[in-house]
Amino acid sequence: TKMKFPETMKAAILAKQDSPLIVDKVQLPRSLDIGQVLVKLNVSGICGSQLGEIDGKKGKDPYLPHLMGHEGCGEVLAIGPGVKTIEVGNKVVLHWKRGSGIQSETPKYKWRGKDLNAGWVTTFNDEAIISENRLTAIPKDFDLKIAALFGCAITSGYGAVNNDAKVKIGQSVLIYGMGGMGLSIADACSLVSANPIVGIDLHQNKLELSKQFGVTETIINDNSEQVKNKIHKIFGEKGPEVVFETTGNSKLMENAYEMTPNNGKTVFVGVPNDKISIYSLPLAFDKKIEVSHGGDSIPDKEIPRYINLSRDKGIDFSKFITHEFNLDDINEALKLFRSGKAGRIILKINE
């Protein structure tokens, strides 16, 4: 497709760990490589793993400076050679899990005269070159804000319930952390008729919000002894059958495992902030640990299902979104995310 290729885009750049992102102009390459797609972003989500990148949770970052963001939605402006699953003009969800199509080379951007790294998908930018296998086309008239959440928040949370934990009708569930991921897990648990669905969080406002997502009882995490007593009171002797941990806080991961009965299952969904120490003997007696990697989701199969759910069952995914920011205010948005006081935060980019 011949079109005037944009020379620059606006992007939020991680130039240094533990530092604010820099919003600046970035030079795009002059053409698309095999399997690459040029997308104009409409909306981006913010996910806990971006905080992990900024804080260097996985150690020293060899790719600095680089672009960020892995869930979003936008419109296809141009396609590179070999692209078959996406057409110009398509509305698309951008996701970090691989879907179908080609895995392209990563894009070659320049910033202040030097190379700027980027992965196969980035969303904290007003345009982007994305690998075909990180895009799924969606109906033109579907709500863009909701579509952005299908890049990670909803697919990972629903996937953790469906694919990792395989929660059964009537199973009892305990969820640590009622941020975007916890809400998504609660929502999916309520869709499969789990009962009870109990949410634990530090913030009362998030516990209140979680009731709209099928949480049947809430526990404020103010004192670990009281929390244990409340859990025992709700679940009785047999305890919760499935326990999800979404915060990645090592102490809470240990608590979640400890509160899982010997025939139960702990599912770790959060990005861990430290090593954890657990008593492993019960693992020999049917206690299980699952580690969820993006809910094991297959984006191009699952996203269309969730779109149907939203349309035919009237499920309102917009309730996940508690705050909206512009790309210029990304650091403010990240600060709010870090405070733990928000559900899902989205960036409005080109609406």
Side-chain angles (χ1 to χ4, degrees), residues 194-218:
N195 184 62
I197 302 168
V198 179
I200 297 181
D201 200 276
L202 280 169
H203 303 282
Q204 191 58 49
N205 60 326
K206 279 161 80 179
L207 291 174
E208 284 312 309
L209 178 67
S210 74
K211 291 173 183 168
Q212 296 173 31
F213 294 82
V215 168
T216 55
E217 304 200 45
T218 60

Side-chain angles (χ1 to χ4, degrees), residues 33-243:
D33 209 336
I34 293 166
Q36 290 183 338
V37 179
L38 178 67
V39 176
K40 175 180 163 187
L41 265 290
N42 296 117
V43 182
S44 170
I46 298 179
C47 187
S49 57
Q50 276 100 48
L51 291 186
E53 281 178 65
I54 293 167
D55 300 347
K57 265 191 187 179
K58 291 178 179 163
K60 193 167 155 33
D61 189 335
Y63 300 108
L64 294 173
H66 63 78
L67 296 184
M68 299 186 77
H70 69 203
E71 65 170 1
C73 127
E75 186 180 345
V76 175
L77 298 179
I79 60 174
V83 172
K84 299 271 190 296
T85 63
I86 299 291
E87 292 169 6
V88 172
N90 277 165
K91 287 277 188 235
V92 283
V93 172
L94 291 74
H95 42 76
W96 62 274
K97 295 284 288 186
R98 291 178 191 205
S100 17
I102 298 169
Q103 171 137 314
S104 70
E105 294 289 313
T106 54
K108 308 277 183 279
Y109 299 122
K110 292 259 186 227
W111 176 52
R112 297 180 181 172
K114 296 200 174 81
D115 289 341
L116 174 66
N117 290 311
W120 293 284
V121 57
T122 64
T123 63
F124 293 179
N125 25 254
D126 62 3
E127 265 138 6
I129 292 171
I130 310 289
S131 176
E132 180 187 11
N133 67 351
R134 298 309 203 274
L135 298 169
T136 296
I138 59 168
K140 270 210 165 41
D141 59 348
F142 194 72
D143 185 334
L144 300 179
K145 287 179 186 171
I146 293 169
L149 302 180
F150 292 153
C152 175
I154 289 169
T155 28
S156 298
Y158 275 45
V161 171
N162 253 331
N163 306 328
D164 297 321
K166 299 183 172 68
V167 174
K168 304 280 186 284
I169 294 169
Q171 265 192 319
S172 55
V173 172
L174 177 62
I175 306 166
Y176 282 81
M178 296 318 301
M181 195 56 70
L183 297 177
S184 178
I185 287 168
D187 207 47
C189 285
S190 73
L191 285 175
V192 298
S193 301
N195 184 62
I197 302 168
V198 179
I200 297 181
D201 200 276
L202 280 169
H203 303 282
Q204 191 58 49
N205 60 326
K206 279 161 80 179
L207 291 174
E208 284 312 309
L209 178 67
S210 74
K211 291 173 183 168
Q212 296 173 31
F213 294 82
V215 168
T216 55
E217 304 200 45
T218 60
I219 298 174
I220 190 106
N221 193 2
D222 46 8
N223 162 320
S224 55
E225 269 320 296
Q226 280 175 334
V227 169
K228 278 179 197 168
N229 293 340
K230 283 178 184 160
I231 291 171
H232 287 312
K233 203 168 154 191
I234 294 169
F235 292 101
E237 280 310 294
K238 60 182 192 310
E241 291 170 274
V242 185
V243 181

Side-chain angles (χ1 to χ4, degrees), residues 93 95 136 138 150 155 298-307:
V93 172
H95 42 76
T136 296
I138 59 168
F150 292 153
T155 28
I298 304 165
D300 36 5
K301 285 205 171 50
E302 293 177 15
I303 290 170
R305 286 184 202 156
Y306 302 151
I307 287 174

Side-chain angles (χ1 to χ4, degrees), residues 27 164 252 258:
Q27 270 67 47
D164 297 321
L252 291 182
E258 192 189 327

